[in-house]
Amino acid sequence: MATFNEKELEVIGEYSMPGIYGAPDCIVPKQNRPVTPKENMLRMLRGEMPLWVPNQTYDNNAIQPMIQPDAHARAFGGTDWFGIEWVYEPLSNAAMVKPGTRRLSDITNWKEELPFPDLSAIDWQKDYEENFKDRIAEDRFSYFPIVNGLFERTADLTSFEDAFCYLLEEPEVLTEFYDALVDWHIELMRIAHDVYHVDMILFHDDMGTQRSTFFSPDLYEELLLPQYQKITKAAHDMGMYICLHSCGCIGTLMPLIIRAGFDAWEGQDSANDKKAIMEEYGKDLAQCTLYVIPAEMSDEDAVAHIHKTVDDLAMTGRFACRLRDNKADRAVNLADELYRYSRTKYLEMQK
């Protein structure tokens, strides 16, 4: 029977980690794993038992080219692909639509007022060669974030208030707009696959508040489900996985997210009962998350939190996280502890 060996934590090299969402590039250790980080992540997504909980900070290549106006505007402020102005907000360490901005007079005028960006105008191959080619480790799983999904884009172009009204009053116009927006996104996904050679799309579209969803499941089923089925089918046809990043309390949408064809969901820990959702839907929908350990948490409590998270969410083998410890001088290496504890628990399941 296989047992955990501390030699698996030995550092045997390093990975160069491109920054995403405005974070700086960094170096993370390459360790003496029993299989490659990529194979382990694939096991999780395929519904097989991984050997440890994938820590995407160490195990994944995150690829977000800053030549994308959306990526730059959302991280630092500026004008995005569709002409929306964003301003950096220090408190959230991200950008928001500049107050008072309205790109469209009305959604019914989108054909006249909203030219779609020409993706062929960007030299993607040059960007890949200069910024990514020599830094993307083939033994790590690669994913490509796409920010501003269908609902988010609607609100950004007009306003949240009007976006809610359009969902109820202009379903035919929205369907036509979303048809065009989906085609454009699929073209971008093809660039991510063909040029940057990624394994998964991380598609952003926040759909809820801290309390509930922005809209009913019935409305999602009518307007958004057919569109997302096209997006996920395109990703799968290209040989990629696709994960939905969607913040807010959206547990009631899980059956529809599964029907839409998403392989995984990256959701907001503080707004959802992640354990209950994993227990009910984990077989059909993996979970990824940004897992932040606060700086003020003691070492002992941080280790206990890691153990509880593995026990609550990871025993299905359908959980991965981007672990971030906000205490730079912590005496305990929490990434090693996540590996050690999950590896041991998974080995115990084989007995």
Side-chain angles (χ1 to χ4, degrees):
M1 183 66 64
T3 58
F4 169 67
N5 190 325
E6 285 287 333
K7 289 185 177 181
E8 295 173 21
L9 296 173
E10 289 181 356
V11 176
I12 59 174
E14 62 182 27
Y15 295 115
S16 175
M17 182 77 172
I20 57 172
Y21 309 131
D25 297 353
C26 63
I27 301 295
V28 296
K30 178 178 182 177
Q31 295 173 298
N32 189 28
R33 304 304 197 213
V35 299
T36 66
K38 180 173 182 175
E39 172 58 27
N40 193 61
M41 184 76 177
L42 287 170
R43 290 187 184 198
M44 186 279 292
L45 288 168
R46 290 193 298 247
E48 304 167 6
M49 283 302 297
L51 275 63
W52 68 90
V53 168
N55 177 4
Q56 294 174 269
T57 306
Y58 280 21
D59 297 352
N60 289 186
N61 303 304
I63 300 174
Q64 189 184 36
M66 281 297 148
I67 56 169
Q68 299 175 102
D70 274 7
H72 192 276
R74 287 294 301 268
F76 305 109
T79 303
D80 72 13
W81 246 321
F82 286 81
I84 303 164
E85 189 173 355
W86 295 73
V87 292
Y88 181 75
E89 171 50 61
L91 290 177
S92 63
N93 199 31
M96 60 178 287
V97 175
K98 183 179 179 180
T101 295
R102 189 178 181 96
R103 178 64 182 81
L104 283 181
S105 61
D106 191 89
I107 196 65
T108 58
N109 299 325
W110 71 269
K111 289 183 181 179
E112 294 76 25
E113 297 179 3
L114 191 68
F116 273 57
D118 179 7
L119 292 173
S120 68
I122 294 175
D123 192 338
W124 300 99
Q125 189 64 41
K126 180 175 183 288
D127 178 70
Y128 172 73
E129 298 282 342
E130 293 181 352
N131 298 309
F132 295 96
K133 181 180 178 181
D134 296 331
R135 304 177 61 198
I136 301 305
E138 294 184 359
D139 62 347
R140 295 205 303 175
F141 184 90
S142 296
Y143 69 92
F144 188 105
I146 294 178
V147 295
N148 300 82
L150 307 185
F151 174 75
E152 283 189 38
R153 186 78 70 183
T154 309
D156 295 341
L157 287 165
T158 55
S159 70
F160 266 93
E161 295 88 344
D162 282 351
F164 293 137
C165 292
Y166 297 146
L167 291 171
L168 297 173
E169 298 173 357
E170 301 290 353
E172 294 84 5
V173 174
L174 275 181
T175 294
E176 196 172 13
F177 172 55
Y178 289 159
D179 284 342
L181 194 56
V182 164
D183 287 345
W184 183 84
H185 276 116
I186 290 173
E187 185 181 352
L188 178 58
M189 288 162 50
R190 191 170 301 283
I191 291 166
H193 176 267
D194 292 352
V195 178
Y196 295 91
H197 314 294
V198 303
D199 304 296
M200 184 175 78
I201 299 295
L202 177 59
F203 199 98
H204 285 234
D205 207 1
D206 294 342
M207 296 184 189
T209 67
Q210 192 74 14
R211 292 183 174 184
S212 187
T213 56
F214 288 140
F215 34 74
S216 70
D218 287 345
L219 195 148
Y220 180 101
E221 184 173 22
E222 176 188 356
L223 283 179
L224 295 172
L225 178 63
Q227 303 296 343
Y228 275 117
Q229 286 175 330
K230 289 188 287 187
I231 287 174
T232 61
K233 182 180 185 302
H236 294 151
D237 287 349
M238 294 178 213
M240 295 187 293
Y241 293 90
I242 183 164
C243 175
L244 174 67
H245 169 101
S246 190
C247 286
C249 180
I250 65 167
T252 57
L253 297 181
M254 289 299 124
L256 292 167
I257 290 170
I258 292 168
R259 281 180 56 192
F262 287 102
D263 301 293
W265 165 56
E266 184 178 270
Q268 182 181 344
D269 290 358
S270 63
N272 295 277
D273 186 342
K274 291 285 195 74
K275 181 179 179 181
I277 290 172
M278 179 64 80
E279 289 173 352
E280 186 167 0
Y281 301 110
K283 180 178 180 296
D284 299 309
L285 188 71
Q287 286 189 30
C288 302
T289 192
L290 172 60
Y291 182 15
V292 179
I293 302 295
E296 61 271 17
M297 186 177 284
S298 71
D299 291 356
E300 182 180 355
D301 287 346
V303 169
H305 202 284
I306 293 279
H307 292 182
K308 188 176 188 306
T309 298
V310 172
D311 292 340
D312 286 351
L313 296 177
M315 298 315 292
T316 60
R318 299 283 279 158
F319 176 72
C321 65
R322 287 185 285 132
L323 179 63
R324 187 175 77 197
D325 185 0
N326 281 345
K327 185 176 182 180
D329 59 348
R330 192 179 297 281
V332 180
N333 186 319
L334 295 184
D336 283 357
E337 186 60 29
L338 173 64
Y339 179 89
R340 179 188 293 108
Y341 187 74
S342 63
R343 179 88 168 99
T344 300
K345 295 291 283 191
Y346 288 166
L347 284 167
E348 289 174 353
M349 291 174 65
Q350 299 176 11
K351 295 179 180 178

